[in-house]
Amino acid sequence: MKILILNPILYTAETDRIPRVSSIKDTMIYSLCIGFVKNGDEPTLIAAENYRPDQEEEYPFRIIWMSCSLPAVWKPRCFPLLKGLGRYLRKHQHEYDYVVSSEVFSMLTLSGSLWARKKMIIWHELGAHNNLMRKVPSLFWYNIVARIMMRNIPIIPRSDRAAEFIGKYCNNVLSMRIDHGVDLEKINCSRQKGNYFVVLSQLIERKHIDQIIDHFAAFYHTEEGKSFQLKIIGDGVMREALERQVEGLGLEASVQFLGRQTHEILMPVLSMAKALLVNTSKDNSMVSIVESIAAGTPVITTSVPFNSVYIKNEKLGIVKDKWGYKELMEVSAKNSEYVENCIKYRKRLSNEYLAAQFDLIGRTL
């Protein structure tokens, strides 16, 4: 099948200055496109020019880069408007079997509902209103634009929370869930684990890495904890403060800051960890959690990420809002049980499996 994917934002930017990367091959949407390719489909991705990598890459599928109109108003990092998208859809939508657009709250989804309505599937992640301008644009969009312009267009939620939220405004929310997937061929999966925990995150305030370090310090001072390390993969504005915190705790030998790493380097580290540690106060579905489970590595997380629902239900780790050193002790003591649960669940996170679920809906349009 030929699929057009409208997903302008390829990775998260915390400010309007979107950082350029050397490759997009580690992104969620790239993995999904690879899933379509492996299934024999022909995906085409439309993305914002702001996210084009600063080095030339070759891809086994087509990417159309479109520049953003009026970026001061239609912010490329959160609500982009792409030049020429409507014209492209009017001219080329008949060439595709179906169109997948990310998010109900999106100008691209609105364009798709206007010009390719009968071929549209909306893949929805958000589970709450956008806080921009005291939620006024979001409230208007869901209550007016979505109810009228996206009526009867099938919506596939990425989680139960997303389904519950969007079901308040749209009438065709499907019962199936399609989460973020991963390319299992790139994921090292191991039952053998080392004596360390791993953090895979931007080092920014809302991730609360400082609290994770405090929890690890408390665990380290137990009899079992003295043989453990904490490996922190990622970078960000909080790094220097976190390094000073580690020095103040006297844990320089036990807490490693590995910086931002490619998947080739980070995946073996993740697959051998006792657990991935997540302490975020604001996130939707997290790709790092999906990768961890696919690697056979349990997760300790707050209930904030939408992935926490199936982590709890499938016993893929521990979900607790104010987790601490006791949860580190528990995941270590019951590690083999959690690891086996992750390995059993990993096939459901395959990008090929998820792409096939889209095709099932696409054939009904």
Side-chain angles (χ1 to χ4, degrees), residues 46 66-67 82-94 111 115:
I46 291 182
M66 292 186 176
S67 57
L82 300 187
K83 293 180 182 178
L85 176 62
R87 183 168 59 251
Y88 181 87
L89 290 172
R90 291 195 298 272
K91 185 176 180 180
H92 297 284
Q93 53 101 4
H94 67 278
S111 293
W115 307 114

Side-chain angles (χ1 to χ4, degrees), residues 312-340:
K312 183 177 181 178
N313 292 342
E314 303 294 333
K315 295 181 173 57
L316 308 175
I318 299 171
V319 177
K320 187 175 181 181
D321 282 331
K322 293 184 179 181
W323 63 265
Y325 79 95
K326 291 182 180 179
E327 283 66 40
L328 297 179
M329 296 177 69
E330 179 181 342
V331 82
S332 178
K334 299 180 180 179
N335 200 249
S336 59
E337 176 185 340
Y338 288 126
V339 168
E340 288 303 318

Side-chain angles (χ1 to χ4, degrees), residues 231-276:
K231 298 179 186 288
I232 299 175
I233 300 175
D235 214 339
V237 296
M238 298 291 293
R239 178 165 178 168
E240 290 187 6
L242 295 173
E243 289 176 335
R244 289 195 298 270
Q245 178 186 359
V246 169
E247 291 175 5
L249 292 168
L251 293 176
E252 299 97 319
S254 299
V255 179
Q256 297 180 338
F257 289 87
L258 303 180
R260 185 170 181 169
Q261 299 291 342
T262 64
H263 266 57
E264 289 77 10
I265 294 175
L266 71 86
M267 285 314 307
V269 178
L270 180 60
S271 68
M272 294 289 289
K274 275 284 197 290
L276 173 73

Side-chain angles (χ1 to χ4, degrees), residues 279-337:
N279 196 37
T280 182
S281 60
K282 183 182 178 183
D283 268 293
N284 296 318
S285 292
M286 294 178 63
V287 176
S288 59
I289 288 178
V290 177
E291 291 176 334
S292 183
I293 294 167
T297 298
V299 182
I300 298 179
T301 179
T302 63
S303 64
V304 171
F306 295 172
N307 323 66
S308 64
V309 174
Y310 61 79
I311 291 172
K312 183 177 181 178
N313 292 342
E314 303 294 333
K315 295 181 173 57
L316 308 175
I318 299 171
V319 177
K320 187 175 181 181
D321 282 331
K322 293 184 179 181
W323 63 265
Y325 79 95
K326 291 182 180 179
E327 283 66 40
L328 297 179
M329 296 177 69
E330 179 181 342
V331 82
S332 178
K334 299 180 180 179
N335 200 249
S336 59
E337 176 185 340

Side-chain angles (χ1 to χ4, degrees), residues 10 13 31 42 58 77 113 118 120 134 183 199 212 236 286 344-345:
L10 301 189
S31 177
E42 297 179 37
E58 292 186 1
R77 75 179 180 91
S113 67
K118 293 182 179 180
M120 278 284 291
R134 298 185 179 181
D183 187 348
V199 170
I212 293 179
M286 294 178 63
K344 290 177 183 177
Y345 194 83

